[in-house]
Amino acid sequence: MIAAKTLNEASFNKYRNSPPDGSVVVRFTPKMAEFALAETNLKNRPISSSKIIAYSTDMSNKNWSVTGETIKFGTDGLLKDGQHRLYACIRANTPFDTHAIFGIDPETFQHIDIGKKRDGADTLAMMQVPNYRTASTIIKMIIAYENGMPDSPKSGVSNDWIKEKYTSELDHQLLQESILLAQRVYKITKWQTGVVGAFFYVAVQKGQRDQVAAFFDDFCKGIGKSARAPIPYLLEQVNRMRMDRAYILRAHHLSVLLSRAYYNYKAGKASTKADVTVSLDDKMVAF
């Protein structure tokens, strides 16, 4: 077994500034784990308390050994993978030995899959996007709506796609506004934030800010002037569907139903039974 080199601040910074070829076996003391986290853990996914507890228990019980898993640092000097092990070292107050790699390409962080697979929310969190989890869900639905689909593609939306969409195409201020509206609507009606937020975002992008804002204000209040006014009729029927254990409401259903109610709302029309009947073959009404 290769002897581990106990890190101190000088040796750690030397590795960061002049990355060696391949991995090195090093020993992180609790003090150095704390230093590494403070200095380099600036853009990483949210921590999992349960994972830290599990790792720290193993470290405390000496049930920890050097494997092929590595602590990874990028060419920017920042930690890319291994924060849970470093936090566990501090919690257990126990040193641990590990392979460490310095100088990896920061763009590879979303492809690293150690322990828990990174998802779109993790990608946005590491990009320091506010409300990253809800943002990820809404972005996936925006992609669907812009491509004429009432739900995310069955093949999924990759982390790269979410990152590129956020970086190159989305109005960040409007996205955050959509998140806040979706959270308010969910609190009152329990409608999925992804569906509501994306619906609001796309409608505003299509020049319908006043109409869609008024729609969701009335949506939260359940406002309607007749028995089959679009909003109260939709809310009533969806609540019945939720109570039916044989019926599974998916984003697809909610998107189609919402588009029909919004269309009738704008046109000043009452909804019909057909408007609240939906199958997986149905399409959304165009904005």
Side-chain angles (χ1 to χ4, degrees):
M1 179 181 292
I2 301 174
K5 300 176 182 178
T6 301
L7 289 173
N8 56 36
E9 292 184 17
S11 60
F12 177 71
N13 286 328
K14 180 180 178 181
Y15 284 137
R16 290 172 68 199
N17 297 328
S18 300
D21 294 331
S23 67
V24 291
V25 179
V26 297
R27 174 167 296 170
F28 276 97
T29 63
K31 180 180 178 180
M32 275 309 302
E34 187 172 2
F35 176 81
L37 287 167
E39 292 290 317
T40 70
N41 196 32
L42 304 182
K43 295 180 180 180
N44 223 316
R45 58 175 166 172
I47 62 172
S48 167
S49 297
S50 60
K51 187 182 292 292
I52 292 172
I53 292 171
Y55 285 174
S56 65
T57 299
D58 284 341
M59 290 180 184
S60 296
N61 293 334
K62 308 300 181 184
N63 185 30
W64 196 271
S65 59
V66 178
T67 66
E69 304 293 358
T70 59
I71 306 288
K72 300 177 178 67
F73 297 91
T75 53
D76 55 6
L78 299 182
L79 178 68
K80 301 304 173 187
D81 188 70
Q83 63 172 340
H84 290 96
R85 282 163 280 171
L86 294 174
Y87 277 117
C89 173
I90 297 169
R91 186 178 190 275
N93 195 30
T94 302
F96 76 103
D97 297 346
T98 180
H99 280 272
I101 294 180
F102 296 82
I104 67 170
D105 183 351
E107 290 300 312
T108 64
F109 71 83
Q110 66 263 43
H111 302 298
I112 297 170
D113 184 12
I114 302 297
K116 171 184 176 289
K117 185 176 180 180
R118 283 177 166 85
D119 58 17
D122 291 327
T123 298
L124 295 180
M126 288 184 277
M127 293 169 63
Q128 299 182 308
V129 175
N131 301 300
Y132 55 85
R133 196 164 301 284
T134 306
S136 174
T137 304
I138 289 176
I139 289 172
K140 292 175 185 178
M141 292 303 296
I142 289 173
I143 290 171
Y145 290 171
E146 290 180 344
N147 286 277
M149 299 181 293
D151 198 357
S152 299
K154 290 183 179 180
S155 58
V157 176
S158 70
N159 296 348
D160 287 335
W161 194 354
I162 291 173
K163 179 183 178 181
E164 178 64 23
K165 185 74 174 178
Y166 180 83
T167 303
S168 304
E169 299 181 32
L170 292 184
D171 180 327
H172 297 173
Q173 182 174 343
L174 178 56
L175 176 62
Q176 291 302 315
E177 182 183 355
S178 301
I179 290 170
L180 293 178
L181 178 133
Q183 290 172 338
R184 176 167 65 92
V185 172
Y186 177 80
K187 185 175 181 180
I188 297 170
T189 68
K190 302 306 179 188
W191 271 62
Q192 294 179 13
T193 55
V195 169
V196 172
F199 197 96
F200 178 82
Y201 183 98
V202 173
V204 172
Q205 289 287 77
K206 291 182 176 294
Q208 301 172 27
R209 173 179 286 278
D210 291 344
Q211 291 167 301
V212 74
F215 174 77
F216 279 116
D217 281 344
D218 289 348
F219 196 84
C220 287
K221 299 171 185 175
I223 287 178
K225 297 181 180 179
S226 64
R228 288 198 173 181
I231 289 173
Y233 190 55
L234 172 63
L235 293 175
E236 178 186 355
Q237 296 304 314
V238 167
N239 285 337
R240 288 182 179 178
M241 294 176 193
R242 285 172 172 164
M243 294 173 65
D244 184 351
R245 295 184 178 180
Y247 197 90
I248 301 176
L249 271 174
R250 304 187 186 278
H252 170 95
H253 302 95
L254 297 175
S255 297
V256 172
L257 293 170
L258 194 63
S259 71
R260 292 172 180 171
Y262 181 57
Y263 176 85
N264 291 338
Y265 178 89
K266 290 188 294 181
K269 296 170 51 180
S271 290
T272 66
K273 188 173 182 179
D275 290 324
V276 293
T277 303
V278 61
S279 73
L280 290 176
D281 294 325
D282 289 335
K283 306 295 184 182
M284 293 176 67
V285 179
F287 286 88

